[in-house]
Amino acid sequence: AGTTNNSESYLGLLYPLEDYRIYGYMTSTSLKFVLVVDDSDTKDDTFVRSMLRRVHTIFVDSACNPFYVTGTELISKRFDRDVDGLVQLWNTDSIPMDWQWSRVSVR
């Protein structure tokens, strides 16, 4: 686990369980994201980090709604749809390991 820049912190593998691996990501504002993956998934640490960065980007895009009140639960069909799209891409076995999530336009 290491800091990738001043505004994000990929925490890496937090806790391995028998059937799952749990990864963490925390922003500079202490917003935390947790990703739980099946232990049989072969995606590497770089891929996991990219996925969590993309979820963070989707969150920021959704939270920039002028009607969102900072610090409250984010209720957004757009956020849900975009994260669902990332999960579907994650579950696609044909994605190469060097895939860049930043290439994915989920809008």
PDB file of all heavy atoms in Angstrom, residues 43-73:
ATOM      1  N   LYS A  43      -7.167 -10.496 -11.197  1.00  0.00           N
ATOM      2  CA  LYS A  43      -6.732  -9.130 -11.513  1.00  0.00           C
ATOM      3  C   LYS A  43      -5.681  -8.669 -10.502  1.00  0.00           C
ATOM      4  O   LYS A  43      -5.795  -8.923  -9.316  1.00  0.00           O
ATOM      5  CB  LYS A  43      -7.927  -8.199 -11.542  1.00  0.00           C
ATOM      6  CG  LYS A  43      -8.862  -8.532 -12.707  1.00  0.00           C
ATOM      7  CD  LYS A  43     -10.107  -7.711 -12.672  1.00  0.00           C
ATOM      8  CE  LYS A  43     -11.057  -8.108 -13.760  1.00  0.00           C
ATOM      9  NZ  LYS A  43     -11.659  -9.429 -13.569  1.00  0.00           N
ATOM     10  N   ASP A  44      -4.666  -7.963 -11.013  1.00  0.00           N
ATOM     11  CA  ASP A  44      -3.548  -7.564 -10.159  1.00  0.00           C
ATOM     12  C   ASP A  44      -3.837  -6.267  -9.404  1.00  0.00           C
ATOM     13  O   ASP A  44      -4.864  -5.623  -9.587  1.00  0.00           O
ATOM     14  CB  ASP A  44      -2.254  -7.465 -10.954  1.00  0.00           C
ATOM     15  CG  ASP A  44      -2.271  -6.353 -11.991  1.00  0.00           C
ATOM     16  OD1 ASP A  44      -3.248  -5.572 -12.051  1.00  0.00           O
ATOM     17  OD2 ASP A  44      -1.291  -6.246 -12.745  1.00  0.00           O
ATOM     18  N   ASP A  45      -2.881  -5.894  -8.548  1.00  0.00           N
ATOM     19  CA  ASP A  45      -3.024  -4.730  -7.680  1.00  0.00           C
ATOM     20  C   ASP A  45      -3.200  -3.436  -8.474  1.00  0.00           C
ATOM     21  O   ASP A  45      -3.970  -2.564  -8.078  1.00  0.00           O
ATOM     22  CB  ASP A  45      -1.792  -4.646  -6.775  1.00  0.00           C
ATOM     23  CG  ASP A  45      -2.073  -3.898  -5.494  1.00  0.00           C
ATOM     24  OD1 ASP A  45      -3.009  -4.296  -4.782  1.00  0.00           O
ATOM     25  OD2 ASP A  45      -1.348  -2.926  -5.227  1.00  0.00           O
ATOM     26  N   THR A  46      -2.519  -3.311  -9.596  1.00  0.00           N
ATOM     27  CA  THR A  46      -2.643  -2.114 -10.435  1.00  0.00           C
ATOM     28  C   THR A  46      -4.065  -1.982 -10.962  1.00  0.00           C
ATOM     29  O   THR A  46      -4.622  -0.889 -11.017  1.00  0.00           O
ATOM     30  CB  THR A  46      -1.640  -2.170 -11.602  1.00  0.00           C
ATOM     31  OG1 THR A  46      -0.332  -2.312 -11.061  1.00  0.00           O
ATOM     32  CG2 THR A  46      -1.721  -0.942 -12.478  1.00  0.00           C
ATOM     33  N   PHE A  47      -4.650  -3.088 -11.338  1.00  0.00           N
ATOM     34  CA  PHE A  47      -6.019  -3.109 -11.849  1.00  0.00           C
ATOM     35  C   PHE A  47      -6.996  -2.695 -10.745  1.00  0.00           C
ATOM     36  O   PHE A  47      -7.909  -1.897 -10.973  1.00  0.00           O
ATOM     37  CB  PHE A  47      -6.334  -4.521 -12.344  1.00  0.00           C
ATOM     38  CG  PHE A  47      -7.466  -4.591 -13.307  1.00  0.00           C
ATOM     39  CD1 PHE A  47      -7.278  -4.335 -14.652  1.00  0.00           C
ATOM     40  CD2 PHE A  47      -8.731  -4.929 -12.865  1.00  0.00           C
ATOM     41  CE1 PHE A  47      -8.333  -4.414 -15.545  1.00  0.00           C
ATOM     42  CE2 PHE A  47      -9.791  -5.012 -13.749  1.00  0.00           C
ATOM     43  CZ  PHE A  47      -9.584  -4.750 -15.091  1.00  0.00           C
ATOM     44  N   VAL A  48      -6.790  -3.222  -9.543  1.00  0.00           N
ATOM     45  CA  VAL A  48      -7.660  -2.882  -8.402  1.00  0.00           C
ATOM     46  C   VAL A  48      -7.547  -1.389  -8.099  1.00  0.00           C
ATOM     47  O   VAL A  48      -8.557  -0.711  -7.889  1.00  0.00           O
ATOM     48  CB  VAL A  48      -7.294  -3.728  -7.166  1.00  0.00           C
ATOM     49  CG1 VAL A  48      -8.058  -3.258  -5.945  1.00  0.00           C
ATOM     50  CG2 VAL A  48      -7.560  -5.203  -7.432  1.00  0.00           C
ATOM     51  N   ARG A  49      -6.330  -0.877  -8.070  1.00  0.00           N
ATOM     52  CA  ARG A  49      -6.110   0.557  -7.809  1.00  0.00           C
ATOM     53  C   ARG A  49      -6.835   1.409  -8.852  1.00  0.00           C
ATOM     54  O   ARG A  49      -7.499   2.391  -8.505  1.00  0.00           O
ATOM     55  CB  ARG A  49      -4.618   0.875  -7.837  1.00  0.00           C
ATOM     56  CG  ARG A  49      -4.340   2.346  -7.589  1.00  0.00           C
ATOM     57  CD  ARG A  49      -2.872   2.637  -7.665  1.00  0.00           C
ATOM     58  NE  ARG A  49      -2.210   1.842  -6.636  1.00  0.00           N
ATOM     59  CZ  ARG A  49      -0.915   1.852  -6.413  1.00  0.00           C
ATOM     60  NH1 ARG A  49      -0.125   2.605  -7.134  1.00  0.00           N
ATOM     61  NH2 ARG A  49      -0.393   1.123  -5.460  1.00  0.00           N
ATOM     62  N   SER A  50      -6.735   1.028 -10.110  1.00  0.00           N
ATOM     63  CA  SER A  50      -7.401   1.772 -11.180  1.00  0.00           C
ATOM     64  C   SER A  50      -8.915   1.752 -11.012  1.00  0.00           C
ATOM     65  O   SER A  50      -9.587   2.756 -11.250  1.00  0.00           O
ATOM     66  CB  SER A  50      -7.026   1.192 -12.543  1.00  0.00           C
ATOM     67  OG  SER A  50      -5.670   1.374 -12.787  1.00  0.00           O
ATOM     68  N   MET A  51      -9.443   0.616 -10.608  1.00  0.00           N
ATOM     69  CA  MET A  51     -10.891   0.493 -10.386  1.00  0.00           C
ATOM     70  C   MET A  51     -11.329   1.450  -9.272  1.00  0.00           C
ATOM     71  O   MET A  51     -12.311   2.174  -9.418  1.00  0.00           O
ATOM     72  CB  MET A  51     -11.228  -0.948 -10.007  1.00  0.00           C
ATOM     73  CG  MET A  51     -12.646  -1.162  -9.576  1.00  0.00           C
ATOM     74  SD  MET A  51     -13.792  -1.019 -10.939  1.00  0.00           S
ATOM     75  CE  MET A  51     -15.189  -1.907 -10.271  1.00  0.00           C
ATOM     76  N   LEU A  52     -10.599   1.469  -8.177  1.00  0.00           N
ATOM     77  CA  LEU A  52     -10.970   2.341  -7.062  1.00  0.00           C
ATOM     78  C   LEU A  52     -10.821   3.815  -7.421  1.00  0.00           C
ATOM     79  O   LEU A  52     -11.639   4.646  -7.012  1.00  0.00           O
ATOM     80  CB  LEU A  52     -10.154   1.980  -5.823  1.00  0.00           C
ATOM     81  CG  LEU A  52     -10.581   0.665  -5.169  1.00  0.00           C
ATOM     82  CD1 LEU A  52      -9.541   0.188  -4.168  1.00  0.00           C
ATOM     83  CD2 LEU A  52     -11.939   0.814  -4.503  1.00  0.00           C
ATOM     84  N   ARG A  53      -9.810   4.157  -8.196  1.00  0.00           N
ATOM     85  CA  ARG A  53      -9.676   5.547  -8.668  1.00  0.00           C
ATOM     86  C   ARG A  53     -10.873   5.940  -9.517  1.00  0.00           C
ATOM     87  O   ARG A  53     -11.387   7.058  -9.417  1.00  0.00           O
ATOM     88  CB  ARG A  53      -8.415   5.697  -9.515  1.00  0.00           C
ATOM     89  CG  ARG A  53      -7.177   5.886  -8.748  1.00  0.00           C
ATOM     90  CD  ARG A  53      -6.063   6.238  -9.713  1.00  0.00           C
ATOM     91  NE  ARG A  53      -4.789   6.082  -9.079  1.00  0.00           N
ATOM     92  CZ  ARG A  53      -3.678   5.773  -9.715  1.00  0.00           C
ATOM     93  NH1 ARG A  53      -3.692   5.582 -11.009  1.00  0.00           N
ATOM     94  NH2 ARG A  53      -2.545   5.664  -9.064  1.00  0.00           N
ATOM     95  N   ARG A  54     -11.315   5.018 -10.369  1.00  0.00           N
ATOM     96  CA  ARG A  54     -12.445   5.311 -11.254  1.00  0.00           C
ATOM     97  C   ARG A  54     -13.729   5.494 -10.444  1.00  0.00           C
ATOM     98  O   ARG A  54     -14.527   6.385 -10.719  1.00  0.00           O
ATOM     99  CB  ARG A  54     -12.601   4.188 -12.281  1.00  0.00           C
ATOM    100  CG  ARG A  54     -13.605   4.501 -13.344  1.00  0.00           C
ATOM    101  CD  ARG A  54     -13.106   5.622 -14.255  1.00  0.00           C
ATOM    102  NE  ARG A  54     -14.114   5.883 -15.247  1.00  0.00           N
ATOM    103  CZ  ARG A  54     -14.660   7.078 -15.460  1.00  0.00           C
ATOM    104  NH1 ARG A  54     -14.234   8.126 -14.795  1.00  0.00           N
ATOM    105  NH2 ARG A  54     -15.587   7.225 -16.354  1.00  0.00           N
ATOM    106  N   VAL A  55     -13.922   4.669  -9.423  1.00  0.00           N
ATOM    107  CA  VAL A  55     -15.095   4.830  -8.555  1.00  0.00           C
ATOM    108  C   VAL A  55     -15.035   6.194  -7.875  1.00  0.00           C
ATOM    109  O   VAL A  55     -16.048   6.893  -7.775  1.00  0.00           O
ATOM    110  CB  VAL A  55     -15.183   3.693  -7.516  1.00  0.00           C
ATOM    111  CG1 VAL A  55     -16.264   3.987  -6.476  1.00  0.00           C
ATOM    112  CG2 VAL A  55     -15.459   2.365  -8.201  1.00  0.00           C
ATOM    113  N   HIS A  56     -13.845   6.605  -7.444  1.00  0.00           N
ATOM    114  CA  HIS A  56     -13.683   7.920  -6.823  1.00  0.00           C
ATOM    115  C   HIS A  56     -14.065   9.021  -7.812  1.00  0.00           C
ATOM    116  O   HIS A  56     -14.789   9.957  -7.463  1.00  0.00           O
ATOM    117  CB  HIS A  56     -12.239   8.087  -6.346  1.00  0.00           C
ATOM    118  CG  HIS A  56     -11.969   9.407  -5.704  1.00  0.00           C
ATOM    119  ND1 HIS A  56     -10.723   9.957  -5.669  1.00  0.00           N
ATOM    120  CD2 HIS A  56     -12.774  10.304  -5.078  1.00  0.00           C
ATOM    121  CE1 HIS A  56     -10.771  11.122  -5.048  1.00  0.00           C
ATOM    122  NE2 HIS A  56     -12.004  11.353  -4.683  1.00  0.00           N
ATOM    123  N   THR A  57     -13.602   8.910  -9.035  1.00  0.00           N
ATOM    124  CA  THR A  57     -13.927   9.906 -10.062  1.00  0.00           C
ATOM    125  C   THR A  57     -15.434   9.975 -10.303  1.00  0.00           C
ATOM    126  O   THR A  57     -16.008  11.067 -10.398  1.00  0.00           O
ATOM    127  CB  THR A  57     -13.196   9.582 -11.378  1.00  0.00           C
ATOM    128  OG1 THR A  57     -11.799   9.596 -11.132  1.00  0.00           O
ATOM    129  CG2 THR A  57     -13.546  10.574 -12.475  1.00  0.00           C
ATOM    130  N   ILE A  58     -16.073   8.827 -10.375  1.00  0.00           N
ATOM    131  CA  ILE A  58     -17.528   8.790 -10.573  1.00  0.00           C
ATOM    132  C   ILE A  58     -18.232   9.442  -9.383  1.00  0.00           C
ATOM    133  O   ILE A  58     -19.196  10.185  -9.547  1.00  0.00           O
ATOM    134  CB  ILE A  58     -18.012   7.340 -10.786  1.00  0.00           C
ATOM    135  CG1 ILE A  58     -17.493   6.807 -12.127  1.00  0.00           C
ATOM    136  CG2 ILE A  58     -19.528   7.255 -10.733  1.00  0.00           C
ATOM    137  CD1 ILE A  58     -17.691   5.317 -12.297  1.00  0.00           C
ATOM    138  N   PHE A  59     -17.743   9.185  -8.179  1.00  0.00           N
ATOM    139  CA  PHE A  59     -18.331   9.801  -6.990  1.00  0.00           C
ATOM    140  C   PHE A  59     -18.216  11.320  -7.062  1.00  0.00           C
ATOM    141  O   PHE A  59     -19.187  12.040  -6.814  1.00  0.00           O
ATOM    142  CB  PHE A  59     -17.669   9.280  -5.708  1.00  0.00           C
ATOM    143  CG  PHE A  59     -18.203   9.944  -4.478  1.00  0.00           C
ATOM    144  CD1 PHE A  59     -19.353   9.478  -3.872  1.00  0.00           C
ATOM    145  CD2 PHE A  59     -17.581  11.062  -3.939  1.00  0.00           C
ATOM    146  CE1 PHE A  59     -19.869  10.098  -2.746  1.00  0.00           C
ATOM    147  CE2 PHE A  59     -18.090  11.691  -2.817  1.00  0.00           C
ATOM    148  CZ  PHE A  59     -19.234  11.208  -2.217  1.00  0.00           C
ATOM    149  N   VAL A  60     -17.022  11.803  -7.385  1.00  0.00           N
ATOM    150  CA  VAL A  60     -16.807  13.256  -7.456  1.00  0.00           C
ATOM    151  C   VAL A  60     -17.718  13.868  -8.511  1.00  0.00           C
ATOM    152  O   VAL A  60     -18.356  14.906  -8.264  1.00  0.00           O
ATOM    153  CB  VAL A  60     -15.323  13.585  -7.742  1.00  0.00           C
ATOM    154  CG1 VAL A  60     -15.147  15.054  -8.072  1.00  0.00           C
ATOM    155  CG2 VAL A  60     -14.459  13.190  -6.556  1.00  0.00           C
ATOM    156  N   ASP A  61     -17.809  13.233  -9.678  1.00  0.00           N
ATOM    157  CA  ASP A  61     -18.689  13.745 -10.731  1.00  0.00           C
ATOM    158  C   ASP A  61     -20.141  13.804 -10.254  1.00  0.00           C
ATOM    159  O   ASP A  61     -20.847  14.770 -10.529  1.00  0.00           O
ATOM    160  CB  ASP A  61     -18.594  12.870 -11.988  1.00  0.00           C
ATOM    161  CG  ASP A  61     -17.279  13.037 -12.726  1.00  0.00           C
ATOM    162  OD1 ASP A  61     -16.515  13.982 -12.414  1.00  0.00           O
ATOM    163  OD2 ASP A  61     -17.003  12.209 -13.617  1.00  0.00           O
ATOM    164  N   SER A  62     -20.574  12.800  -9.537  1.00  0.00           N
ATOM    165  CA  SER A  62     -21.955  12.761  -9.047  1.00  0.00           C
ATOM    166  C   SER A  62     -22.180  13.755  -7.912  1.00  0.00           C
ATOM    167  O   SER A  62     -23.239  14.369  -7.807  1.00  0.00           O
ATOM    168  CB  SER A  62     -22.308  11.350  -8.581  1.00  0.00           C
ATOM    169  OG  SER A  62     -22.225  10.448  -9.655  1.00  0.00           O
ATOM    170  N   ALA A  63     -21.188  13.916  -7.047  1.00  0.00           N
ATOM    171  CA  ALA A  63     -21.324  14.817  -5.897  1.00  0.00           C
ATOM    172  C   ALA A  63     -21.245  16.283  -6.304  1.00  0.00           C
ATOM    173  O   ALA A  63     -21.597  17.154  -5.506  1.00  0.00           O
ATOM    174  CB  ALA A  63     -20.252  14.501  -4.856  1.00  0.00           C
ATOM    175  N   CYS A  64     -20.801  16.556  -7.517  1.00  0.00           N
ATOM    176  CA  CYS A  64     -20.737  17.947  -7.989  1.00  0.00           C
ATOM    177  C   CYS A  64     -22.111  18.495  -8.360  1.00  0.00           C
ATOM    178  O   CYS A  64     -22.231  19.651  -8.754  1.00  0.00           O
ATOM    179  CB  CYS A  64     -19.776  18.054  -9.174  1.00  0.00           C
ATOM    180  SG  CYS A  64     -18.057  17.980  -8.656  1.00  0.00           S
ATOM    181  N   ASN A  65     -23.132  17.695  -8.213  1.00  0.00           N
ATOM    182  CA  ASN A  65     -24.497  18.135  -8.432  1.00  0.00           C
ATOM    183  C   ASN A  65     -24.785  19.267  -7.438  1.00  0.00           C
ATOM    184  O   ASN A  65     -24.551  19.123  -6.242  1.00  0.00           O
ATOM    185  CB  ASN A  65     -25.437  16.947  -8.181  1.00  0.00           C
ATOM    186  CG  ASN A  65     -26.885  17.284  -8.342  1.00  0.00           C
ATOM    187  OD1 ASN A  65     -27.310  18.427  -8.152  1.00  0.00           O
ATOM    188  ND2 ASN A  65     -27.669  16.296  -8.697  1.00  0.00           N
ATOM    189  N   PRO A  66     -25.282  20.412  -7.901  1.00  0.00           N
ATOM    190  CA  PRO A  66     -25.516  21.543  -6.991  1.00  0.00           C
ATOM    191  C   PRO A  66     -26.560  21.258  -5.910  1.00  0.00           C
ATOM    192  O   PRO A  66     -26.638  21.976  -4.918  1.00  0.00           O
ATOM    193  CB  PRO A  66     -25.985  22.665  -7.919  1.00  0.00           C
ATOM    194  CG  PRO A  66     -26.432  21.995  -9.160  1.00  0.00           C
ATOM    195  CD  PRO A  66     -25.648  20.723  -9.278  1.00  0.00           C
ATOM    196  N   PHE A  67     -27.331  20.179  -6.071  1.00  0.00           N
ATOM    197  CA  PHE A  67     -28.348  19.847  -5.073  1.00  0.00           C
ATOM    198  C   PHE A  67     -27.837  18.849  -4.034  1.00  0.00           C
ATOM    199  O   PHE A  67     -28.532  18.557  -3.068  1.00  0.00           O
ATOM    200  CB  PHE A  67     -29.602  19.296  -5.757  1.00  0.00           C
ATOM    201  CG  PHE A  67     -30.225  20.296  -6.685  1.00  0.00           C
ATOM    202  CD1 PHE A  67     -30.097  20.162  -8.061  1.00  0.00           C
ATOM    203  CD2 PHE A  67     -30.920  21.394  -6.185  1.00  0.00           C
ATOM    204  CE1 PHE A  67     -30.642  21.098  -8.913  1.00  0.00           C
ATOM    205  CE2 PHE A  67     -31.474  22.330  -7.037  1.00  0.00           C
ATOM    206  CZ  PHE A  67     -31.339  22.182  -8.407  1.00  0.00           C
ATOM    207  N   TYR A  68     -26.617  18.343  -4.225  1.00  0.00           N
ATOM    208  CA  TYR A  68     -26.040  17.412  -3.248  1.00  0.00           C
ATOM    209  C   TYR A  68     -25.511  18.202  -2.055  1.00  0.00           C
ATOM    210  O   TYR A  68     -24.812  19.197  -2.218  1.00  0.00           O
ATOM    211  CB  TYR A  68     -24.913  16.589  -3.874  1.00  0.00           C
ATOM    212  CG  TYR A  68     -24.166  15.759  -2.862  1.00  0.00           C
ATOM    213  CD1 TYR A  68     -24.782  14.678  -2.237  1.00  0.00           C
ATOM    214  CD2 TYR A  68     -22.860  16.065  -2.506  1.00  0.00           C
ATOM    215  CE1 TYR A  68     -24.112  13.926  -1.295  1.00  0.00           C
ATOM    216  CE2 TYR A  68     -22.177  15.312  -1.560  1.00  0.00           C
ATOM    217  CZ  TYR A  68     -22.808  14.240  -0.965  1.00  0.00           C
ATOM    218  OH  TYR A  68     -22.148  13.501  -0.027  1.00  0.00           O
ATOM    219  N   VAL A  69     -25.842  17.760  -0.851  1.00  0.00           N
ATOM    220  CA  VAL A  69     -25.365  18.396   0.372  1.00  0.00           C
ATOM    221  C   VAL A  69     -24.164  17.592   0.868  1.00  0.00           C
ATOM    222  O   VAL A  69     -24.291  16.410   1.207  1.00  0.00           O
ATOM    223  CB  VAL A  69     -26.470  18.441   1.447  1.00  0.00           C
ATOM    224  CG1 VAL A  69     -25.940  19.056   2.737  1.00  0.00           C
ATOM    225  CG2 VAL A  69     -27.683  19.209   0.933  1.00  0.00           C
ATOM    226  N   THR A  70     -23.003  18.229   0.890  1.00  0.00           N
ATOM    227  CA  THR A  70     -21.771  17.569   1.307  1.00  0.00           C
ATOM    228  C   THR A  70     -21.924  16.942   2.685  1.00  0.00           C
ATOM    229  O   THR A  70     -22.471  17.558   3.596  1.00  0.00           O
ATOM    230  CB  THR A  70     -20.608  18.580   1.326  1.00  0.00           C
ATOM    231  OG1 THR A  70     -20.492  19.158   0.030  1.00  0.00           O
ATOM    232  CG2 THR A  70     -19.300  17.905   1.699  1.00  0.00           C
ATOM    233  N   GLY A  71     -21.457  15.711   2.805  1.00  0.00           N
ATOM    234  CA  GLY A  71     -21.521  15.005   4.081  1.00  0.00           C
ATOM    235  C   GLY A  71     -22.759  14.154   4.259  1.00  0.00           C
ATOM    236  O   GLY A  71     -22.877  13.444   5.247  1.00  0.00           O
ATOM    237  N   THR A  72     -23.684  14.218   3.312  1.00  0.00           N
ATOM    238  CA  THR A  72     -24.881  13.393   3.392  1.00  0.00           C
ATOM    239  C   THR A  72     -24.728  12.203   2.453  1.00  0.00           C
ATOM    240  O   THR A  72     -23.810  12.149   1.631  1.00  0.00           O
ATOM    241  CB  THR A  72     -26.141  14.191   3.003  1.00  0.00           C
ATOM    242  OG1 THR A  72     -26.027  14.612   1.636  1.00  0.00           O
ATOM    243  CG2 THR A  72     -26.324  15.403   3.905  1.00  0.00           C
ATOM    244  N   GLU A  73     -25.628  11.254   2.578  1.00  0.00           N
ATOM    245  CA  GLU A  73     -25.604  10.084   1.706  1.00  0.00           C
ATOM    246  C   GLU A  73     -25.812  10.532   0.257  1.00  0.00           C
ATOM    247  O   GLU A  73     -26.685  11.356  -0.034  1.00  0.00           O
ATOM    248  CB  GLU A  73     -26.717   9.117   2.118  1.00  0.00           C
ATOM    249  CG  GLU A  73     -26.793   7.887   1.251  1.00  0.00           C
ATOM    250  CD  GLU A  73     -27.935   6.967   1.663  1.00  0.00           C
ATOM    251  OE1 GLU A  73     -28.652   7.276   2.637  1.00  0.00           O
ATOM    252  OE2 GLU A  73     -28.098   5.947   0.996  1.00  0.00           O
TER     253      GLU A  73
END
